[in-house]
Amino acid sequence: MNARRYPKLHIRSKNELARQISSKRLPIPEASLLIQDAHENFDHYWRDHIKLSEPSKNKWVRDASRTNLSKLHKLINDRVLGPHDRMLPAFVFGGISGRDHKSAVKHLLGKKRGRILLKLDIKRFYERIRAERVQQFFAQKCECSYKGAKILTGLCCVPVGPKDSPGPHKTIGRGFAPSSRLAVWCNLDTFIKLERLVQKELKGKDPQISIYVDDIGITASKTSKEEMIALYKKIEKILDLDDNQKLPLNEEKTKIIYHSGETYDIRGNYLGKRGFEILGIQMNRNSLTLGTKTRWKLVNLKKEIHEKVKSNISLKKRRRAVIRYKRYIER
């Protein structure tokens, strides 16, 4: 018998949700009041985070910090979704316990020499996951009732576009605590199709795929850029099959990189030599190190500190933070 792909949440009402998020510090009656308050004041509890948003790209980060909605989001993320992380495939990362960006890059190293990397990025990923798909995940995949699925969806989704000029439909709230896990779960079937495609098309070449929310990395050995371009076109078809949710790739961010650093765009045009890196981390033969941008940041901080006549505590703190990060990546 095949193992279950999705968790059984069985949330059928507000009371059942309250029971699942409750604890000694938050008894069920108080949890119920928290849910009720977040529901009734939902629109007042969140705003657009202007500094983190990118209006030119139609990316709006939502901020519910220091409100009961934020508290409830964290409980849904930690107590409803989080306990089921172990069910997710090993190639899925991002917003999942113990699977950060370093783990995602390490997964791509492979065992054979002469690696090649295909870097993909899904355009406006969170904004493409509509509320209907979230509700379908809770109701059909997790065996919640229609009422329970509607409650959860209503708490996690907001209208697309800026809050003061909302669009015609609702999507996952970029910036809300449960959003990364929901994004992964709502697209799990698609991600599994991608992994199977990669294993099939690059069979015998030590293929690896790593999906970090909306960033996809694929590596293989003894593979040409032409093979990666052909694979890209097949991946596009998988991401474009569902009329209810198309996931277009960002061609500008798509790169094919040989281990030597030779880099090409998806049309095969040579872009020069760059680092064999993804998610800001450089991949070596059997190890990881800082990516180009962070390495230069460390060099410039050292230079700035050296040029200062008086000690600059802020610069030194920033440099120490980068050094700690470097040790973590290379450990």
Side-chain angles (χ1 to χ4, degrees):
M1 181 180 293
N2 292 331
R4 278 186 60 86
R5 183 176 292 179
Y6 293 93
K8 290 184 179 181
L9 299 180
H10 292 310
I11 294 175
R12 298 180 175 85
S13 64
K14 182 184 75 173
N15 290 335
E16 179 59 29
L17 175 58
R19 188 187 69 78
Q20 288 205 25
I21 66 171
S22 65
S23 62
K24 288 183 179 179
R25 296 180 63 182
L26 185 70
I28 293 177
E30 291 183 24
S32 293
L33 290 175
L34 177 67
I35 296 168
Q36 188 65 28
D37 179 60
H39 173 72
E40 292 178 352
N41 296 287
F42 182 81
D43 287 334
H44 301 291
Y45 280 163
W46 70 272
R47 62 185 178 87
D48 292 332
H49 197 304
I50 303 301
K51 288 186 178 180
L52 296 181
S53 297
E54 298 179 82
S56 61
K57 297 180 181 179
N58 290 318
K59 292 182 179 180
W60 298 91
V61 177
R62 318 302 187 170
D63 180 18
S65 57
R66 295 183 294 279
T67 69
N68 276 344
L69 178 60
S70 176
K71 183 178 179 180
L72 180 56
H73 279 162
K74 189 175 187 307
L75 290 168
I76 292 173
N77 191 43
D78 294 345
R79 296 182 179 274
V80 177
L81 298 173
H84 307 285
D85 284 352
R86 65 187 183 279
M87 297 181 69
L88 289 166
F91 62 86
V92 174
F93 302 84
I96 302 166
S97 302
R99 303 195 202 179
D100 62 2
H101 70 302
K102 175 187 173 181
S103 304
V105 179
K106 187 178 178 181
H107 189 76
L108 294 171
L109 288 178
K111 299 177 181 178
K112 297 181 180 180
R113 294 179 179 274
R115 306 294 283 175
I116 188 172
L117 167 68
L118 173 61
K119 289 172 58 174
L120 306 172
D121 175 83
I122 300 174
K123 282 184 180 178
R124 298 177 65 239
F125 184 50
Y126 291 100
E127 289 77 12
R128 298 192 185 277
I129 306 172
R130 297 197 177 196
E132 292 82 3
R133 198 173 187 92
V134 177
Q135 188 165 320
Q136 181 186 53
F137 160 69
F138 283 123
Q140 297 182 14
K141 307 292 188 180
C142 301
E143 300 182 13
C144 295
S145 69
Y146 171 79
K147 182 179 180 181
K150 189 175 181 181
I151 290 171
L152 286 163
T153 302
L155 291 167
C156 296
C157 295
V158 296
V160 69
K163 186 175 183 179
D164 58 4
S165 181
H169 60 269
K170 292 185 176 183
T171 68
I172 284 179
R174 181 186 289 268
F176 286 169
S179 293
S180 290
R181 280 193 172 98
L182 279 177
V184 167
W185 281 113
C186 288
N187 290 281
L188 183 57
D189 289 347
T190 300
F191 290 163
I192 288 174
K193 287 179 183 177
L194 291 184
E195 195 270 343
R196 289 174 177 170
L197 174 69
V198 169
Q199 294 299 328
K200 177 185 175 183
E201 296 297 316
L202 302 175
K203 186 177 180 180
K205 299 181 179 181
D206 190 24
Q208 297 291 339
I209 179 171
S210 178
I211 299 176
Y212 185 82
V213 190
D214 56 352
D215 287 292
I216 303 172
I218 298 166
T219 59
S221 295
K222 297 181 179 179
T223 306
S224 66
K225 70 176 185 296
E226 287 77 18
E227 289 175 282
M228 285 301 197
I229 292 172
L231 176 63
Y232 172 86
K233 292 176 180 177
K234 292 181 179 181
I235 289 173
E236 268 192 317
K237 290 181 180 179
I238 288 179
L239 296 179
D240 197 38
L241 281 179
D242 191 342
D243 291 335
N244 295 320
Q245 181 185 304
K246 296 180 184 296
L247 298 175
L249 294 169
N250 189 335
E251 283 195 14
E252 292 181 5
K253 291 186 177 182
T254 298
K255 301 288 183 292
I256 300 171
I257 309 172
Y258 284 91
H259 199 270
S260 60
E262 293 180 3
T263 304
Y264 299 83
D265 65 19
I266 199 55
R267 293 179 176 81
N269 299 314
Y270 182 60
L271 301 175
K273 276 208 169 189
R274 303 187 183 183
F276 191 67
E277 58 187 59
I278 187 171
L279 297 174
I281 298 177
Q282 171 84 25
M283 289 184 286
N284 303 318
R285 174 70 183 90
N286 291 307
S287 63
L288 306 176
T289 190
L290 292 180
T292 306
K293 186 176 180 180
T294 313
R295 286 202 304 271
W296 276 110
K297 182 179 180 180
L298 191 57
V299 170
N300 290 332
L301 282 170
K302 184 178 180 180
K303 184 179 178 181
E304 284 186 65
I305 292 170
H306 181 72
E307 291 175 348
K308 294 283 183 181
V309 177
K310 293 184 178 180
S311 174
N312 190 312
I313 296 174
S314 175
L315 283 175
K316 288 183 176 180
K317 283 183 176 179
R318 285 164 57 192
R319 183 171 181 267
R320 283 197 295 268
V322 177
I323 289 173
R324 283 196 300 270
Y325 175 69
K326 180 177 185 291
R327 288 171 181 165
Y328 165 69
I329 294 299
E330 296 180 352
R331 186 168 60 239

